[in-house]
């Protein structure tokens, strides 16, 4: 059986140059077993002909709201009910604005208003239209209402400019659709992604604590686990805010990333974002200490008083605990911590669960050949009255399993009034 057997996907196309990629998307979904129907806006028909899509999908293409013949075949309400998932690619700035304002002035916007089916958008537009506050506000409104946005990607645009606004590639969109149906949690209820309308705040990577303008203290964290969790949270429908230390990883498409350097900056940024979050996951390897004073100039070997016996002492001060401060300041947040331990794994992790006021803690053994800077990991998930062991596996797969467990506990805890 193919990944999309028995799945009914309605592709919406609005009028942008990226519409040519949508033919490829239809082909890819059909190849994976889906039944595909297409609804186009009038402007979309200027970029790609309905006949092309009809030939590819084997189904008539719908575009008119007030077409008696089309309504008699499959009316707009029927089409809205028919689909297991709606993917609008490309979603233009205009369509996004119309959806955010609840318009029903053509077939595609009417379907979106008349459905409980999860709606995914692949925005595509000029980079300035994308970064315009109006478009950003509209996207925020839609994602708070349960729409899932994918991309846009950065790169050279059809208009010749370079920036964020390119539609994701057809194969990437097809993979995203497959991943939606892949997860067991989605199969329980595909009417709505479980984290639709929720915001997940994640810290990731190491921090850098400056000694002087050219030197710093850091650690071996690669950020891979945090980034994989960000991608998994997004696939579950969440809006994801990623506060990241310096790493060389690409942010997953659609995830909003804030780069910081020091633990103090990570603390400030995370506290500022926590008020709008529903789940907080602290994966960052935050430096526990930072130099009490940062030298304004590069420390020289012959600095007065520093090299009398070829030694240099650095006075370190304790950094604020981001996880603990966030979970105590925002007790309604579902807070998840990580405990990287070299010994007494469970005992130390349970101590942190309590001390840091957490709903859940993910314990992992670190040390030689374990944990940091690797592609695999093995974890124990602990909560007040339970535990789940996840065996050594690729961090991306692990992140999906972990995020699924967090989601299940978050949904269960939403009915409780306090921790
Ligand atoms: N953490 C944090 N801010 C800090 C230190 C840690 O948010 N200043 C978070 C980490 O992101 C992780 C959890 O706290 O989710 C546990 O971090 P860890 O370093 O294992 O624990 P510590 O509290 O620093 O305890 P210790 O170093 O004594 O083991």
């Amino acid at each position: 059986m193919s990944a999309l057997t028995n799945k009914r996907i309605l592709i919406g196309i609005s009028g942008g140059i990226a519409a040519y990629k949508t033919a490829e998307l239809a082909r890819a979904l059909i190849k994976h077993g889906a039944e595909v129907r297409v609804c186009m806006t009038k402007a979309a028909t200027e970029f790609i002909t309905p006949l092309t899509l009809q030939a590819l999908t084997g189904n008539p293409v719908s575009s008119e709201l007030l077409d008696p013949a089309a309504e008699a075949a499959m009316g707009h309400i029927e089409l809205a009910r028919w689909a297991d998932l709606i993917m609008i690619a490309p979603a233009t700035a205009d369509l996004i604005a119309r959806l955010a304002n609840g318009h029903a002035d053509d077939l595609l916007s009417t379907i979106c208003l008349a459905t409980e089916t999860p709606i995914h958008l692949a925005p595509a537009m000029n980079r300035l239209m994308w970064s315009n506050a109006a478009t950003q506000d509209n996207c925020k409104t839609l994602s708070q209402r349960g729409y899932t946005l994918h991309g846009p990607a950065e790169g050279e645009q059809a208009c010749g400019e370079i920036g964020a606004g390119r539609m994701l590639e057809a194969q990437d969109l097809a993979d995203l659709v497959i991943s939606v149906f892949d997860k067991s949690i989605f199969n329980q209820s595909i009417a709505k992604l479980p984290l639709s309308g929720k915001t997940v705040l994640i810290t990731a990577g190491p921090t850098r604590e400056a000694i002087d303008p050219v030197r710093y203290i850091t650690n071996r964290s690669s950020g891979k686990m945090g980034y994989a969790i960000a991608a998994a949270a997004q696939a579950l429908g969440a809006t994801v805010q990623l506060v990241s230390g310096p790493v060389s990883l690409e942010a997953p498409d659609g995830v909003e990333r804030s780069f910081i350097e020091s633990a103090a900056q990570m603390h400030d940024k995370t506290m500022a974002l926590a008020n709008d979050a529903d789940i907080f996951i602290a994966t960052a390897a935050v430096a526990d200490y930072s130099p009490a004073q940062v030298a304004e100039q590069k420390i020289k070997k012959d600095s007065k008083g520093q090299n009398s016996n070829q030694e240099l002492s650095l006075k370190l001060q304790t950094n604020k605990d981001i996880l603990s401060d966030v979970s105590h300041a925002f007790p309604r947040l579902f807070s998840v911590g990580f405990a990287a331990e070299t010994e007494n794994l469970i005992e130390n992790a349970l101590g942190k669960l309590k001390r840091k006021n957490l709903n859940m803690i993910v314990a992992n053994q670190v040390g030689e050949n374990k944990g940091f800077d690797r592609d695999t990991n093995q974890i124990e998930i602990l909560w007040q009255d339970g535990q789940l062991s996840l065996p050594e596996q690729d961090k991306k797969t692990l992140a999906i399993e972990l995020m699924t467990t967090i989601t299940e506990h978050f949904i269960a805890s939403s009915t409780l009034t306090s921790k």
Side-chain angles (χ1 to χ4, degrees):
M1 196 163 101
S2 304
L4 296 175
T5 301
N6 297 330
K7 299 290 180 277
R8 297 185 291 202
I9 317 286
L10 178 64
I11 297 181
I13 311 180
S14 56
I17 184 71
Y20 76 91
K21 293 186 189 174
T22 313
E24 197 51 46
L25 172 64
R27 271 169 59 105
L29 295 175
I30 290 165
K31 204 175 104 203
H32 288 289
E35 187 180 349
V36 174
R37 286 178 178 269
V38 175
C39 173
M40 302 174 78
T41 64
K42 202 166 169 21
T45 62
E46 305 285 336
F47 290 91
I48 181 167
T49 69
L51 198 60
T52 306
L53 292 148
Q54 181 170 322
L56 281 171
T57 61
N59 282 316
V61 170
S62 313
S63 54
E64 295 293 334
L65 181 58
L66 304 172
D67 176 352
E71 283 289 300
M74 189 180 257
H76 62 281
I77 298 289
E78 258 175 296
L79 206 48
R81 286 198 194 125
W82 171 85
D84 293 320
L85 183 146
I86 298 174
M87 168 63 82
I88 303 182
T92 58
D94 177 65
L95 181 76
I96 288 171
R98 288 193 290 121
L99 295 180
N101 286 291
H103 288 203
D105 50 4
D106 67 2
L107 183 60
L108 186 53
S109 56
T110 305
I111 288 173
C112 291
L113 211 53
T115 191
E116 286 181 333
T117 301
I119 304 177
H120 294 243
L121 302 178
M125 65 200 73
N126 163 274
R127 68 180 176 91
L128 292 174
M129 292 171 81
W130 170 247
S131 62
N132 189 291
T135 306
Q136 289 299 311
D137 284 352
N138 289 334
C139 288
K140 201 166 173 195
T141 302
L142 289 176
S143 81
Q144 278 164 356
R145 290 189 196 145
Y147 282 66
T148 307
L149 280 80
H150 304 288
E154 298 214 3
E156 198 178 331
Q157 303 203 275
C159 53
E161 294 188 18
I162 293 177
R166 280 169 63 92
M167 190 172 97
L168 296 189
E169 295 307 319
Q171 192 52 53
D172 294 337
L173 290 173
D175 289 345
L176 280 162
V177 171
I178 291 168
S179 79
V180 166
F181 291 106
D182 239 11
K183 322 245 163 39
S184 56
I185 196 161
F186 299 121
N187 293 332
Q188 290 164 24
S189 163
I190 54 168
K192 201 167 188 285
L193 292 178
L195 291 180
S196 286
K198 303 293 176 199
T199 298
V200 178
L201 173 62
I202 299 170
T203 61
T207 62
R208 274 182 191 168
E209 310 304 322
I211 298 171
D212 67 16
V214 294
R215 304 184 178 94
Y216 52 79
I217 301 171
T218 190
N219 58 58
R220 290 181 189 279
S221 167
S222 64
K224 281 179 190 161
M225 194 65 206
Y227 276 59
I229 290 172
Q234 215 216 7
L236 286 160
T239 298
V240 181
Q241 290 281 357
L242 182 60
V243 182
S244 173
V247 295
S248 55
L249 301 170
E250 292 275 316
D253 281 320
V255 164
E256 206 161 309
R257 170 167 63 177
S258 313
F259 264 134
I260 53 79
E261 289 233 334
S262 66
Q265 288 167 349
M266 183 176 270
H267 185 278
D268 290 353
K269 187 72 201 176
T270 309
M271 285 293 268
L273 292 170
N275 199 30
D276 290 330
D278 300 282
I279 298 176
F280 173 47
I281 309 173
T283 74
V286 186
D288 289 327
Y289 299 95
S290 54
Q293 273 182 335
V294 183
E296 275 182 29
Q297 305 298 334
K298 185 181 169 200
I299 300 173
K300 305 292 282 180
K301 279 203 288 298
D302 59 358
S303 294
K304 204 175 159 201
Q306 295 281 13
N307 73 335
S308 42
N309 56 3
Q310 300 295 314
E311 284 180 3
L312 172 69
S313 296
L314 281 178
K315 190 170 175 208
L316 300 179
Q317 63 184 8
T318 317
N319 288 330
K320 288 184 193 162
D321 190 312
I322 302 166
L323 176 56
S324 181
D325 284 3
V326 167
S327 75
H328 283 96
F330 302 93
R332 59 160 196 88
L333 262 184
F334 189 94
S335 300
V336 182
F338 270 66
E341 307 291 342
T342 53
E343 57 179 356
N344 303 329
L345 183 69
I346 304 296
E347 194 186 325
N348 285 339
L350 286 174
K352 285 174 191 174
L353 178 77
K354 197 152 185 246
R355 216 165 47 244
K356 300 197 185 197
N357 191 36
L358 309 178
N359 298 83
M360 208 171 242
I361 191 139
V362 182
N364 73 307
Q365 192 85 35
V366 287
E368 225 173 297
N369 294 330
K370 284 205 165 93
F372 280 172
D373 210 7
R374 288 167 59 85
D375 289 331
T376 63
N377 210 350
Q378 191 257 310
I379 56 174
E380 302 288 330
I381 310 174
L382 309 167
W383 55 96
Q384 211 182 3
D385 48 13
Q387 180 173 344
L388 179 69
S389 253
L390 296 181
E392 170 114 24
Q393 55 193 311
D394 161 62
K395 283 184 179 172
K396 285 187 181 159
T397 319
L398 198 62
I400 291 170
E401 289 197 30
L402 170 60
M403 204 53 229
T404 305
T405 306
I406 292 173
T407 302
E408 284 164 355
H409 282 253
F410 165 71
I411 290 168
S413 81
S414 302
T415 54
L416 302 174
T417 46
S418 64
K419 287 179 190 174

PDB file of all heavy atoms in Angstrom, residues 336-357:
ATOM      1  N   VAL A 336       8.806  21.449  29.243  1.00  0.00           N
ATOM      2  CA  VAL A 336       9.581  20.212  29.093  1.00  0.00           C
ATOM      3  C   VAL A 336      11.067  20.565  29.140  1.00  0.00           C
ATOM      4  O   VAL A 336      11.530  21.446  28.421  1.00  0.00           O
ATOM      5  CB  VAL A 336       9.270  19.535  27.737  1.00  0.00           C
ATOM      6  CG1 VAL A 336      10.042  18.226  27.594  1.00  0.00           C
ATOM      7  CG2 VAL A 336       7.774  19.297  27.584  1.00  0.00           C
ATOM      8  N   GLY A 337      11.810  19.863  30.004  1.00  0.00           N
ATOM      9  CA  GLY A 337      13.250  20.110  30.101  1.00  0.00           C
ATOM     10  C   GLY A 337      14.045  18.914  29.624  1.00  0.00           C
ATOM     11  O   GLY A 337      13.493  17.832  29.403  1.00  0.00           O
ATOM     12  N   PHE A 338      15.317  19.123  29.442  1.00  0.00           N
ATOM     13  CA  PHE A 338      16.234  18.034  29.108  1.00  0.00           C
ATOM     14  C   PHE A 338      17.232  17.902  30.254  1.00  0.00           C
ATOM     15  O   PHE A 338      17.609  18.910  30.872  1.00  0.00           O
ATOM     16  CB  PHE A 338      16.991  18.339  27.804  1.00  0.00           C
ATOM     17  CG  PHE A 338      16.273  17.835  26.588  1.00  0.00           C
ATOM     18  CD1 PHE A 338      15.066  18.379  26.213  1.00  0.00           C
ATOM     19  CD2 PHE A 338      16.809  16.789  25.832  1.00  0.00           C
ATOM     20  CE1 PHE A 338      14.389  17.915  25.092  1.00  0.00           C
ATOM     21  CE2 PHE A 338      16.140  16.318  24.711  1.00  0.00           C
ATOM     22  CZ  PHE A 338      14.929  16.872  24.338  1.00  0.00           C
ATOM     23  N   ALA A 339      17.633  16.703  30.547  1.00  0.00           N
ATOM     24  CA  ALA A 339      18.660  16.504  31.570  1.00  0.00           C
ATOM     25  C   ALA A 339      19.768  15.672  30.953  1.00  0.00           C
ATOM     26  O   ALA A 339      19.560  14.497  30.630  1.00  0.00           O
ATOM     27  CB  ALA A 339      18.069  15.804  32.782  1.00  0.00           C
ATOM     28  N   ALA A 340      20.877  16.314  30.730  1.00  0.00           N
ATOM     29  CA  ALA A 340      22.034  15.597  30.184  1.00  0.00           C
ATOM     30  C   ALA A 340      22.906  15.206  31.371  1.00  0.00           C
ATOM     31  O   ALA A 340      23.385  16.084  32.086  1.00  0.00           O
ATOM     32  CB  ALA A 340      22.794  16.514  29.239  1.00  0.00           C
ATOM     33  N   GLU A 341      23.053  13.910  31.589  1.00  0.00           N
ATOM     34  CA  GLU A 341      23.748  13.456  32.790  1.00  0.00           C
ATOM     35  C   GLU A 341      24.845  12.462  32.432  1.00  0.00           C
ATOM     36  O   GLU A 341      24.705  11.673  31.490  1.00  0.00           O
ATOM     37  CB  GLU A 341      22.753  12.758  33.745  1.00  0.00           C
ATOM     38  CG  GLU A 341      21.511  13.569  34.080  1.00  0.00           C
ATOM     39  CD  GLU A 341      21.797  14.783  34.949  1.00  0.00           C
ATOM     40  OE1 GLU A 341      22.878  14.836  35.575  1.00  0.00           O
ATOM     41  OE2 GLU A 341      20.961  15.708  34.968  1.00  0.00           O
ATOM     42  N   THR A 342      25.904  12.501  33.219  1.00  0.00           N
ATOM     43  CA  THR A 342      26.952  11.484  33.027  1.00  0.00           C
ATOM     44  C   THR A 342      26.784  10.352  34.046  1.00  0.00           C
ATOM     45  O   THR A 342      27.347   9.277  33.884  1.00  0.00           O
ATOM     46  CB  THR A 342      28.354  12.099  33.209  1.00  0.00           C
ATOM     47  OG1 THR A 342      28.391  12.768  34.472  1.00  0.00           O
ATOM     48  CG2 THR A 342      28.678  13.091  32.103  1.00  0.00           C
ATOM     49  N   GLU A 343      26.001  10.595  35.124  1.00  0.00           N
ATOM     50  CA  GLU A 343      25.754   9.538  36.122  1.00  0.00           C
ATOM     51  C   GLU A 343      24.387   9.761  36.770  1.00  0.00           C
ATOM     52  O   GLU A 343      23.807  10.826  36.650  1.00  0.00           O
ATOM     53  CB  GLU A 343      26.866   9.549  37.184  1.00  0.00           C
ATOM     54  CG  GLU A 343      26.992  10.896  37.861  1.00  0.00           C
ATOM     55  CD  GLU A 343      28.068  10.938  38.923  1.00  0.00           C
ATOM     56  OE1 GLU A 343      28.684   9.898  39.208  1.00  0.00           O
ATOM     57  OE2 GLU A 343      28.271  12.029  39.486  1.00  0.00           O
ATOM     58  N   ASN A 344      23.888   8.742  37.458  1.00  0.00           N
ATOM     59  CA  ASN A 344      22.595   8.786  38.177  1.00  0.00           C
ATOM     60  C   ASN A 344      21.490   9.438  37.322  1.00  0.00           C
ATOM     61  O   ASN A 344      20.816  10.389  37.760  1.00  0.00           O
ATOM     62  CB  ASN A 344      22.721   9.555  39.498  1.00  0.00           C
ATOM     63  CG  ASN A 344      23.781   8.949  40.393  1.00  0.00           C
ATOM     64  OD1 ASN A 344      24.009   7.723  40.345  1.00  0.00           O
ATOM     65  ND2 ASN A 344      24.444   9.768  41.180  1.00  0.00           N
ATOM     66  N   LEU A 345      21.332   8.931  36.111  1.00  0.00           N
ATOM     67  CA  LEU A 345      20.449   9.546  35.111  1.00  0.00           C
ATOM     68  C   LEU A 345      19.037   9.834  35.644  1.00  0.00           C
ATOM     69  O   LEU A 345      18.587  10.985  35.631  1.00  0.00           O
ATOM     70  CB  LEU A 345      20.383   8.613  33.887  1.00  0.00           C
ATOM     71  CG  LEU A 345      19.568   9.101  32.709  1.00  0.00           C
ATOM     72  CD1 LEU A 345      20.247  10.289  32.053  1.00  0.00           C
ATOM     73  CD2 LEU A 345      19.377   8.003  31.662  1.00  0.00           C
ATOM     74  N   ILE A 346      18.351   8.801  36.090  1.00  0.00           N
ATOM     75  CA  ILE A 346      16.937   8.955  36.462  1.00  0.00           C
ATOM     76  C   ILE A 346      16.792   9.838  37.711  1.00  0.00           C
ATOM     77  O   ILE A 346      15.966  10.762  37.742  1.00  0.00           O
ATOM     78  CB  ILE A 346      16.283   7.562  36.707  1.00  0.00           C
ATOM     79  CG1 ILE A 346      16.445   6.680  35.456  1.00  0.00           C
ATOM     80  CG2 ILE A 346      14.815   7.700  37.103  1.00  0.00           C
ATOM     81  CD1 ILE A 346      15.737   7.172  34.210  1.00  0.00           C
ATOM     82  N   GLU A 347      17.637   9.557  38.705  1.00  0.00           N
ATOM     83  CA  GLU A 347      17.553  10.312  39.968  1.00  0.00           C
ATOM     84  C   GLU A 347      17.797  11.819  39.725  1.00  0.00           C
ATOM     85  O   GLU A 347      17.016  12.658  40.170  1.00  0.00           O
ATOM     86  CB  GLU A 347      18.630   9.742  40.896  1.00  0.00           C
ATOM     87  CG  GLU A 347      18.494  10.146  42.337  1.00  0.00           C
ATOM     88  CD  GLU A 347      19.711   9.629  43.116  1.00  0.00           C
ATOM     89  OE1 GLU A 347      20.213   8.521  42.795  1.00  0.00           O
ATOM     90  OE2 GLU A 347      20.162  10.374  44.008  1.00  0.00           O
ATOM     91  N   ASN A 348      18.836  12.129  38.980  1.00  0.00           N
ATOM     92  CA  ASN A 348      19.132  13.540  38.699  1.00  0.00           C
ATOM     93  C   ASN A 348      18.027  14.192  37.882  1.00  0.00           C
ATOM     94  O   ASN A 348      17.654  15.345  38.105  1.00  0.00           O
ATOM     95  CB  ASN A 348      20.457  13.672  37.938  1.00  0.00           C
ATOM     96  CG  ASN A 348      21.653  13.464  38.843  1.00  0.00           C
ATOM     97  OD1 ASN A 348      21.549  13.611  40.060  1.00  0.00           O
ATOM     98  ND2 ASN A 348      22.790  13.102  38.268  1.00  0.00           N
ATOM     99  N   ALA A 349      17.495  13.439  36.902  1.00  0.00           N
ATOM    100  CA  ALA A 349      16.451  14.004  36.033  1.00  0.00           C
ATOM    101  C   ALA A 349      15.187  14.285  36.848  1.00  0.00           C
ATOM    102  O   ALA A 349      14.557  15.340  36.689  1.00  0.00           O
ATOM    103  CB  ALA A 349      16.153  13.051  34.889  1.00  0.00           C
ATOM    104  N   LEU A 350      14.809  13.353  37.726  1.00  0.00           N
ATOM    105  CA  LEU A 350      13.602  13.565  38.531  1.00  0.00           C
ATOM    106  C   LEU A 350      13.776  14.761  39.463  1.00  0.00           C
ATOM    107  O   LEU A 350      12.826  15.519  39.698  1.00  0.00           O
ATOM    108  CB  LEU A 350      13.257  12.298  39.333  1.00  0.00           C
ATOM    109  CG  LEU A 350      12.658  11.164  38.482  1.00  0.00           C
ATOM    110  CD1 LEU A 350      12.479   9.901  39.315  1.00  0.00           C
ATOM    111  CD2 LEU A 350      11.316  11.579  37.857  1.00  0.00           C
ATOM    112  N   GLY A 351      14.999  14.956  39.948  1.00  0.00           N
ATOM    113  CA  GLY A 351      15.291  16.129  40.794  1.00  0.00           C
ATOM    114  C   GLY A 351      15.033  17.408  40.018  1.00  0.00           C
ATOM    115  O   GLY A 351      14.414  18.357  40.509  1.00  0.00           O
ATOM    116  N   LYS A 352      15.462  17.425  38.752  1.00  0.00           N
ATOM    117  CA  LYS A 352      15.269  18.624  37.913  1.00  0.00           C
ATOM    118  C   LYS A 352      13.790  18.832  37.569  1.00  0.00           C
ATOM    119  O   LYS A 352      13.316  19.964  37.484  1.00  0.00           O
ATOM    120  CB  LYS A 352      16.092  18.508  36.618  1.00  0.00           C
ATOM    121  CG  LYS A 352      17.574  18.748  36.865  1.00  0.00           C
ATOM    122  CD  LYS A 352      18.441  18.500  35.644  1.00  0.00           C
ATOM    123  CE  LYS A 352      19.912  18.492  36.069  1.00  0.00           C
ATOM    124  NZ  LYS A 352      20.815  18.118  35.000  1.00  0.00           N
ATOM    125  N   LEU A 353      13.067  17.723  37.353  1.00  0.00           N
ATOM    126  CA  LEU A 353      11.625  17.802  37.027  1.00  0.00           C
ATOM    127  C   LEU A 353      10.913  18.600  38.122  1.00  0.00           C
ATOM    128  O   LEU A 353      10.106  19.488  37.845  1.00  0.00           O
ATOM    129  CB  LEU A 353      11.057  16.377  36.932  1.00  0.00           C
ATOM    130  CG  LEU A 353       9.568  16.234  36.645  1.00  0.00           C
ATOM    131  CD1 LEU A 353       9.269  16.477  35.175  1.00  0.00           C
ATOM    132  CD2 LEU A 353       9.047  14.847  37.020  1.00  0.00           C
ATOM    133  N   LYS A 354      11.255  18.267  39.372  1.00  0.00           N
ATOM    134  CA  LYS A 354      10.590  18.902  40.515  1.00  0.00           C
ATOM    135  C   LYS A 354      11.109  20.339  40.712  1.00  0.00           C
ATOM    136  O   LYS A 354      10.321  21.287  40.762  1.00  0.00           O
ATOM    137  CB  LYS A 354      10.903  18.059  41.755  1.00  0.00           C
ATOM    138  CG  LYS A 354      10.000  18.321  42.895  1.00  0.00           C
ATOM    139  CD  LYS A 354       9.853  17.101  43.797  1.00  0.00           C
ATOM    140  CE  LYS A 354       8.817  17.461  44.842  1.00  0.00           C
ATOM    141  NZ  LYS A 354       9.330  17.551  46.161  1.00  0.00           N
ATOM    142  N   ARG A 355      12.444  20.463  40.768  1.00  0.00           N
ATOM    143  CA  ARG A 355      13.063  21.751  41.079  1.00  0.00           C
ATOM    144  C   ARG A 355      12.688  22.820  40.043  1.00  0.00           C
ATOM    145  O   ARG A 355      12.455  23.962  40.367  1.00  0.00           O
ATOM    146  CB  ARG A 355      14.575  21.550  41.073  1.00  0.00           C
ATOM    147  CG  ARG A 355      15.307  22.355  42.088  1.00  0.00           C
ATOM    148  CD  ARG A 355      16.726  21.896  42.303  1.00  0.00           C
ATOM    149  NE  ARG A 355      17.528  21.652  41.129  1.00  0.00           N
ATOM    150  CZ  ARG A 355      18.013  20.461  40.792  1.00  0.00           C
ATOM    151  NH1 ARG A 355      17.753  19.398  41.528  1.00  0.00           N
ATOM    152  NH2 ARG A 355      18.763  20.319  39.709  1.00  0.00           N
ATOM    153  N   LYS A 356      12.606  22.385  38.773  1.00  0.00           N
ATOM    154  CA  LYS A 356      12.360  23.371  37.711  1.00  0.00           C
ATOM    155  C   LYS A 356      10.875  23.489  37.360  1.00  0.00           C
ATOM    156  O   LYS A 356      10.523  24.112  36.366  1.00  0.00           O
ATOM    157  CB  LYS A 356      13.192  23.016  36.473  1.00  0.00           C
ATOM    158  CG  LYS A 356      14.706  22.999  36.756  1.00  0.00           C
ATOM    159  CD  LYS A 356      15.546  23.061  35.493  1.00  0.00           C
ATOM    160  CE  LYS A 356      17.031  22.931  35.804  1.00  0.00           C
ATOM    161  NZ  LYS A 356      17.898  23.366  34.720  1.00  0.00           N
ATOM    162  N   ASN A 357      10.010  22.818  38.148  1.00  0.00           N
ATOM    163  CA  ASN A 357       8.552  22.958  37.979  1.00  0.00           C
ATOM    164  C   ASN A 357       8.090  22.512  36.575  1.00  0.00           C
ATOM    165  O   ASN A 357       7.398  23.233  35.871  1.00  0.00           O
ATOM    166  CB  ASN A 357       8.167  24.431  38.218  1.00  0.00           C
ATOM    167  CG  ASN A 357       6.675  24.637  38.336  1.00  0.00           C
ATOM    168  OD1 ASN A 357       5.979  23.784  38.884  1.00  0.00           O
ATOM    169  ND2 ASN A 357       6.174  25.743  37.814  1.00  0.00           N
TER     170      ASN A 357
END
